[in-house]
Amino acid sequence: MTLLGAAQIRELAAALDLKPSKSLGQNFVIDSNVCTKIVRTAAVGPTDVALEIGPGLGSLTLALLESAESVIAVEIDPRLAQQLPLTVADLFEHPEKLTVINKDALAIHTLPKDPTVLVANLPYNVSVPVLLHLLEVFPTLRTGVVMVQAEVADRLAAKPGTKDYGIPSVKAAWWADVKGAGSVSRSVFWPAPNVDSKLVGFTRRPTPGDEELRKKVFTIIDAAFAQRRKMLRSALSTLYGSSSAAEEILIRAKIDPTLRGEALEIDGFCAIAAVAPDIF
Ligand code: SAM
């Protein structure tokens, strides 16, 4: 099948009179080799129901349709959501494999089919909340590869004790093992973004606890990194009333109270939550 190249992307945009929106992160991939590579990196196979967020003009969607059993594409921009089935019907002999949903990805809680793999060139300003939201609401998502701003990719895949380690790294680690999966040149986009991009791959892992524990853990993570230079006993003092109360909780959790949040893996935050009082 024909994948979309630079000329087709520009033609489609011109026909729609589309001026790419910065606030919606509309930077379209114009190099079909990149799309093929992303689908291959995600190891999408014939039994996969692929979920794509922000299909845009369809570059990645077409590559996904070639490999997946079916594709569910969630697009916030109504012009793009309306055009996509028409583009696919023109270029692909099984357009029924595609379902397009015109919605904000953050407002999606159910889908017509359980997705197994997430493959997306995510809108950069909401990439972390979208990824965490999807991991939370679609437990059938087993693996995925997403393209995000390079700094965000580094943060998502960061390990404790590094400068990039922070809220996105620990929260993503609740759901999945996350790894960097390569860089993508600015020149493959139209319009070219003013930031670099990277791919991030994830594989779901069993969660360390139930929803009640997760909410507690995420509140502690937010507090620990709100003042990342502070020791945990001080960073958690607002949550627990005083630094001595926080220190007592940390000692019970067998965590050194003088450590900073950036030293702890997700399991350390879970240990704190397990002995901490309910704060809701
Ligand atoms: N996948 C296309 C590609 O690679 O050429 C377009 C990727 S572009 C970086 C991001 C896309 O996400 C745009 O089509 C934009 O309209 C869409 N988008 C932005 N915010 C969204 C949201 N909250 N939910 C769903 N789609 C969104």
Side-chain angles (χ1 to χ4, degrees):
M1 100 150 111
T2 323
L3 297 180
L4 298 174
Q8 291 97 322
I9 292 285
R10 276 173 224 268
E11 263 169 41
L12 277 167
L16 289 175
D17 196 20
L18 180 85
K19 312 258 174 311
S21 150
K22 254 198 167 166
S23 62
L24 291 180
Q26 291 179 344
N27 300 96
F28 304 108
V29 174
I30 53 174
D31 179 342
S32 59
N33 292 326
V34 171
C35 298
T36 311
K37 182 186 151 192
I38 295 173
V39 173
R40 208 180 319 120
T41 306
V44 176
T47 59
D48 273 317
V49 177
L51 173 59
E52 184 186 6
I53 302 301
L57 291 164
S59 318
L60 187 54
T61 321
L62 284 161
L64 273 171
L65 282 165
E66 265 191 338
S67 300
E69 184 254 320
S70 55
V71 176
I72 303 170
V74 177
E75 172 58 60
I76 200 169
D77 186 329
R79 297 164 303 171
L80 296 173
Q82 274 158 26
Q83 176 59 41
L84 186 59
L86 308 176
T87 306
V88 168
D90 260 0
L91 298 172
F92 185 55
E93 71 259 30
H94 293 294
E96 72 284 355
K97 282 170 68 169
L98 174 68
T99 307
V100 180
I101 298 174
N102 180 202
K103 263 198 169 174
D104 179 344
L106 289 167
I108 292 275
H109 289 91
T110 55
L111 289 169
K113 270 186 181 177
D114 291 334
T116 59
V117 61
L118 173 68
V119 184
N121 174 10
L122 289 176
Y124 287 3
N125 48 351
V126 288
S127 53
V128 172
V130 165
L131 180 61
L132 294 176
H133 172 71
L134 297 173
L135 284 166
E136 181 187 336
V137 297
F138 299 115
T140 54
L141 274 179
R142 205 175 20 82
T143 58
V145 171
V146 292
M147 176 142 63
V148 294
Q149 186 178 334
E151 288 77 10
V152 174
D154 293 343
R155 273 183 227 138
L156 281 167
K159 298 291 168 238
T162 62
K163 73 168 173 36
D164 291 324
Y165 190 67
I167 293 174
S169 345
V170 207
K171 288 189 177 173
W174 171 276
W175 304 111
D177 294 316
V178 181
K179 285 202 180 82
S183 307
V184 180
S185 157
R186 292 180 193 197
S187 65
V188 308
F189 298 95
W190 173 76
N194 47 16
V195 293
D196 291 317
S197 301
K198 282 188 179 173
L199 299 174
V200 163
F202 70 82
T203 307
R204 189 180 283 276
R205 67 181 198 118
T207 54
D210 60 13
E211 264 302 284
E212 203 182 319
L213 184 75
R214 183 187 67 77
K215 287 186 183 143
K216 232 167 141 180
V217 168
F218 278 26
T219 304
I220 296 168
I221 293 169
D222 287 334
F225 287 97
Q227 298 153 303
R228 69 178 287 147
R229 304 308 303 162
K230 287 202 172 171
M231 293 176 188
L232 281 167
R233 69 172 169 222
S234 157
L236 301 184
S237 62
T238 327
L239 269 189
Y240 300 118
S242 68
S243 65
S244 58
E247 177 157 353
E248 199 187 302
I249 290 166
L250 289 160
I251 289 169
R252 267 197 284 139
K254 300 195 168 43
I255 305 280
D256 176 352
T258 66
L259 288 177
R260 297 192 180 114
E262 65 197 26
L264 293 194
E265 300 212 34
I266 183 68
D267 294 351
F269 287 100
C270 294
I272 301 171
V275 299
D278 256 329
I279 35 183
F280 301 107

